[in-house]
Amino acid sequence: MGSGTKADKLDELVEIRMERQKILDKGDPPWLFLVFREAVLRDIRPEVRKAQCERLLDLMPRRTVSIQILPTEASVFVEGAFHLLDFGHGRDVAYVDGAGGSVPWPGRSALGGTTGS
């Protein structure tokens, strides 16, 4: 793959991500919970880091956004991701994705009330 093709692909990926973020500006935006390590911010190239941090700061005042940054030395962070899906009707689903594979959870009751229900 030539460098022109890589640059085109990068532009396409950035465009897709920017388009996807528009959902946060809808009248009834979804809840967004971000938890990541401080090292993630430090590892971003300096020429990109400032804009990324400004974007996070722009999002923080929104009532549907929660951003938590764990100190690098914190040992409470588990590698992997989880998603809580609330479709507004029917059953809610928790989906855990990690190095050991992906696991769907049956709903809020399996989370021990941690979602506020």
Side-chain angles (χ1 to χ4, degrees), residues 3-116:
S3 62
T5 306
K6 288 180 183 178
D8 291 343
K9 184 65 173 176
L10 178 61
D11 288 343
E12 178 184 348
L13 292 172
V14 168
E15 185 177 331
I16 289 169
R17 288 184 177 144
M18 296 303 289
E19 185 66 29
R20 187 172 54 208
Q21 287 188 29
K22 288 181 181 178
I23 193 171
L24 298 173
D25 295 323
K26 293 175 100 178
D28 186 21
W31 287 89
L32 177 64
F33 295 90
L34 302 173
V35 180
F36 53 92
R37 293 181 73 84
E38 174 187 1
V40 170
L41 292 175
R42 295 190 186 282
D43 289 345
I44 299 173
R45 293 189 330 260
E47 62 271 16
V48 176
R49 183 183 311 129
K50 182 178 184 225
Q52 292 293 315
C53 288
E54 287 173 350
R55 178 64 178 147
L56 292 173
L57 289 170
D58 288 344
L59 290 172
M60 286 178 69
R62 297 178 185 216
R63 66 174 181 78
T64 58
V65 174
S66 173
I67 300 172
Q68 298 179 7
I69 302 172
L70 297 174
T72 302
E73 63 276 356
S75 60
V76 296
F77 190 69
V78 177
E79 289 188 34
F82 68 92
H83 311 276
L84 299 176
L85 307 173
D86 178 355
F87 298 103
H89 58 353
R91 207 167 96 182
D92 297 335
V93 177
Y95 183 79
V96 180
D97 190 21
S102 301
V103 179
W105 288 43
R108 291 178 189 255
S109 62
L111 299 175
T114 59
T115 61

